[in-house]
Amino acid sequence: QVHLQESGPGLVKPSETLSLTCTVSGGSISSYYWTWIRQPPGKGLEWLGYIYYSGSTNYNPSLETRVTISVDTSKNQFSLKLNSVTAADTAVYFCARVFTDNGDYRWFDPWGQGTLVTVSS
Amino acid sequence: DIVMTQSPDSLAVSLGERATINCKSSRSVLFNSKNKNYLAWYQQKTGQPPKLLIYWASTRESGVPDRFSGSGSGTDFTLTISSLQAEDVAVYYCQQYYITPPTFGQGTNVEIK
């Protein structure tokens, strides 16, 4: 059974870059799409972007200028970078696998446990 | 973007009673040629990640109890818990995957009355 685990700093200073990694275990990262989703404290869910194991990406237009998602198939990991962060980027960040259907994105399953990143000086 | 709006924001239901959550999309998520609604439901318990319950608006994920059911088409959808159990206390989210970016409803908090 595939398991995802997020890792990275829990505190980032304003204007700096948030960096997180998602490690996939129990299965290969290959042949799947993967995603990052965030949830500000007490609020709803916001999709950040997709990545295919080949490295192709698709980002949320609302964050496209600040977000980069990459993949390292040798480590069975994919990563998120969000630059120029502000307090509004404080959230629990989840990684998840994307179910696809003929190359079209569908639902998210499974999800990692999530990691809280606080933006504060 | 497709805006997903859930109602109510919160509801309290007695154990064993029915809980009904509504989700409305700002445009249809029915793909006519496939006759499929591109909508999923998730359950999020406190301190946990969301868990997939239902996809294609009405297909229950493997292992999900049959007291959970999804219905609706086009722009109006419903998640029903037929007989609320204590372990069903959670926030429930709908999500459309008809177009990118995928978007979620704001969530409905279900608690025990």
Side-chain angles (χ1 to χ4, degrees), chain A residues 37 39 43-47 50 58-61 94 99 101-102 104-109 111-114, chain B residues 1 34 36 38 40 42 44 47-52 55-56 61 93 95 97 100-106:
Chain A
I37 294 162
Q39 184 173 37
K43 296 188 178 180
L45 299 157
E46 180 182 29
W47 171 75
Y50 296 122
N58 190 339
Y59 299 131
N60 192 323
F94 297 100
F99 181 88
D101 180 18
N102 291 324
D104 293 327
Y105 311 117
R106 302 288 181 242
W107 49 87
F108 309 123
D109 179 64
W111 298 54
Q113 189 63 29
Chain B
D1 297 6
K34 293 187 176 182
K36 285 188 172 182
Y38 285 29
Y42 299 86
Q44 185 178 30
Q48 296 186 20
K51 172 190 170 185
L52 178 68
Y55 52 91
W56 298 130
E61 170 71 333
Y93 294 94
Q95 176 230 331
Y97 45 90
T100 299
T103 48
F104 296 85
Q106 80 278 17

Side-chain angles (χ1 to χ4, degrees), chain B residues 21 39-41 53-60 65-73 76-81:
Chain B
I21 301 167
L39 185 111
W41 288 96
L53 293 177
I54 286 170
Y55 52 91
W56 298 130
S58 61
T59 301
R60 207 178 299 115
D66 61 7
R67 63 180 180 272
F68 291 92
S69 63
S71 62
S73 185
D76 293 280
F77 301 90
T78 300
L79 175 69
T80 301
I81 309 172

